[in-house]
Amino acid sequence: MKKLLLVSAVAVLLGAIPFLSADEWKSGIEWVEPPVVDPGPETAPANVPSDAIVLFDGKSMDAWENGENWPIKDGAVYSGKGVVRTKQHFGSVQLHVEFATPSEVKGEGQGRGNSGVFWGPYEVQVLDSYINTTYYDGQCGSIYKENPPAVNCCRKPGEWQTYDIIFMRPEFNEKGELVRPMYVTVFQNGILVQNHLQVKGETYYHLKHFYTAHPAKMPISLQDHGNPVRFRNIWVREISDSPVQPVKPDSPVKPFDVFGPQD
Ligand code: MG
């Protein structure tokens, strides 16, 4: 009888799991598999521009909330317990992040080298997508559950890779209505994987994406997905919200002359 009760209890618990873990949302779009491109060998850490704000220099996670729970070793920080968020909040940014998925390959699909780089609630996926197939809009370089990368240019597990991301923030009016969507551009290992993609909303796993009004400045965050992904050399430059600088009202606009100046 005791055994029966135990079995029943386990069955009830197992039955409850789908209610505890949210069901996956699928867009229904059938994507083409991104072709594989070899980005070449890993490189030394990128230079830091003089006007950049350094978020991680290999020594300190002081720029991040919860940074004390991400261990630093040999100039790299490992994805640890809980998400880390920058204490400073940013508008539109150019963000440089270097990452390496674990050299010891464990798990498959979304369970291999999973992390993520966020501005506010919008994720650029980090995953070990080196000979590891998963849904294409969830592989490395994807805007999570929205758009696959143009190509799969992952380096091997354990090798350093780079993300150069332009997050153009969305804008909301006083009523909380969206007046300009988010746009994201991503270079992975110097290769374009997202080209000024218009984002549909917060990059949920379990819901169709939609926007919820939020402040103009938001933290940048790195995801804890239970895999010890390493990061190094993280810096950010806040940029203009407009991709094109407006012409000053007092500057006459000259017609473009394809032949150049004539004299
Ligand atoms: Mg992720």
Side-chain angles (χ1 to χ4, degrees):
M1 185 64 187
K2 260 187 188 169
K3 197 175 175 186
L4 187 65
L5 277 174
L6 184 68
V7 169
S8 307
V10 169
V12 166
L13 278 175
L14 285 175
I17 284 173
F19 300 102
L20 295 173
S21 60
D23 287 338
E24 181 182 3
W25 174 76
K26 290 180 179 169
S27 70
I29 301 168
E30 286 193 33
W31 300 107
V32 175
E33 181 168 6
V36 172
V37 171
D38 180 356
E42 61 183 350
T43 56
N47 290 327
V48 181
S50 62
D51 66 347
I53 295 167
V54 174
L55 298 174
F56 178 63
D57 62 357
K59 298 182 198 103
S60 161
M61 283 292 280
D62 284 354
W64 305 78
E65 285 174 8
N66 192 44
E68 66 277 12
N69 287 317
W70 281 39
I72 298 169
K73 196 179 162 196
D74 300 331
V77 65
Y78 287 71
S79 179
K81 200 173 177 202
V83 66
V84 286
R85 285 191 185 87
T86 53
K87 292 172 184 170
Q88 186 172 344
H89 293 193
F90 302 94
S92 298
V93 290
Q94 173 189 350
L95 175 66
H96 178 85
V97 176
E98 301 186 12
F99 66 95
T101 60
S103 49
E104 188 189 345
V105 173
K106 277 187 186 168
E108 57 185 329
Q110 293 290 310
R112 185 184 296 179
N114 195 334
S115 184
V117 179
F118 289 73
W119 180 93
Y122 314 99
E123 180 181 13
V124 176
Q125 173 71 305
V126 170
L127 194 74
D128 175 3
S129 291
Y130 186 85
I131 316 178
N132 176 37
T133 307
T134 180
Y135 44 91
Y136 306 134
D137 54 3
Q139 71 181 63
C140 199
S142 66
I143 303 304
Y144 188 67
K145 285 276 185 185
E146 290 221 4
N147 202 51
V151 295
N152 178 349
C153 54
C154 282
R155 293 202 173 102
K156 290 176 184 163
E159 293 185 352
W160 283 106
Q161 309 196 55
T162 60
Y163 265 161
D164 289 283
I165 304 171
I166 299 169
F167 285 113
M168 293 295 293
R169 72 172 181 93
E171 196 179 334
F172 303 91
N173 63 18
E174 310 79 56
K175 292 185 207 159
E177 297 160 337
L178 182 74
V179 292
R180 189 185 61 218
M182 173 102 188
Y183 290 92
V184 182
T185 297
V186 183
F187 288 86
Q188 181 183 358
N189 301 323
I191 297 167
L192 184 66
V193 292
Q194 300 288 345
N195 184 6
H196 197 56
L197 181 83
Q198 183 178 320
V199 178
K200 296 186 180 77
E202 303 185 20
T203 56
Y204 293 108
Y205 165 81
H206 62 298
L207 295 172
K208 186 176 179 181
H209 296 178
F210 58 91
Y211 282 96
T212 303
H214 58 67
K217 292 189 183 242
M218 296 292 281
I220 290 160
S221 53
L222 303 174
Q223 188 182 47
D224 162 25
H225 207 283
N227 305 145
V229 174
R230 288 181 296 159
F231 293 91
R232 74 176 183 192
N233 193 25
I234 306 174
W235 50 259
V236 65
R237 298 176 63 248
E238 206 158 25
I239 58 175
S240 165
D241 283 335
S242 170
V244 178
Q245 295 299 318
V247 175
K248 286 181 192 165
D250 59 348
S251 308
V253 178
K254 290 178 189 155
F256 181 66
D257 181 355
V258 292
F259 300 106
Q262 307 284 308
D263 41 33

